[in-house]
Amino acid sequence: MSGDEKTSVIVKDHRDPEDCRAVVEVLDRVGDKWTVMVVGVLGSGPLRFNAIQRAIPGLSHRMLTITLRALERDGLVDRHAYPTSPPKVEYELTTFGHSLIGPLSVLADWAMGNRETIVAARARFDKNR
């Protein structure tokens, strides 16, 4: 398979810059480490902000806020505010958000299955530098 044929598997019409931009834009969103972790945590069901933050070590309040807003904007997460005192807010994956779990799982399996190969390749590369 030539390089052009491989590219066309990823982007149907790789000659169209708009298609490439669309793919890059989506990958920027779903490839972000905090997005992957938040989607993974919310895959089990709705959670409050602090529960999400406790479930993801190293995730700051600010980054969680930014990530949740971006996911909500993209239609992947719904924010539900309940009229209680104090206010209760939960976040949950939309149906569209749940559709992201499969592709992320495939990518995670690939990454874990190829970790040793990547570590070895990096070691060879670094040794020759």
Side-chain angles (χ1 to χ4, degrees):
M1 185 179 286
S2 73
D4 284 347
E5 290 170 358
K6 289 177 185 175
T7 302
S8 67
V9 170
I10 296 169
V11 179
K12 295 290 186 229
D13 185 1
H14 60 279
R15 293 164 299 219
D16 183 349
E18 282 302 310
D19 286 348
C20 290
R21 271 192 283 281
V23 170
V24 169
E25 185 178 307
V26 169
L27 289 176
D28 281 347
R29 164 61 40 233
V30 301
D32 172 71
K33 79 174 183 179
W34 298 124
T35 294
V36 170
M37 296 175 115
V38 169
V39 168
V41 167
L42 289 177
S44 300
L47 290 171
R48 294 177 73 167
F49 186 95
N50 287 333
I52 299 168
Q53 190 173 19
R54 282 192 302 272
I56 304 173
L59 178 57
S60 71
H61 186 280
R62 181 177 182 275
M63 282 310 304
L64 179 53
T65 299
I66 290 168
T67 301
L68 286 169
R69 284 185 184 157
L71 289 169
E72 186 178 6
R73 180 174 184 245
D74 289 346
L76 297 164
V77 166
D78 276 337
R79 179 183 184 273
H80 302 283
Y82 299 94
T84 59
S85 183
K88 177 183 174 183
V89 178
E90 286 185 333
Y91 297 88
E92 112 179 275
L93 290 179
T94 61
T95 301
F96 181 51
H98 277 284
S99 74
L100 184 55
I101 292 173
L104 287 178
S105 295
V106 170
L107 184 57
D109 289 345
W110 181 89
M112 290 183 287
N114 289 287
R115 176 187 276 170
E116 290 179 18
T117 302
I118 293 169
V119 168
R122 288 176 179 171
R124 282 191 308 275
F125 180 88
D126 293 346
K127 182 179 177 184
N128 295 323
R129 286 307 215 183

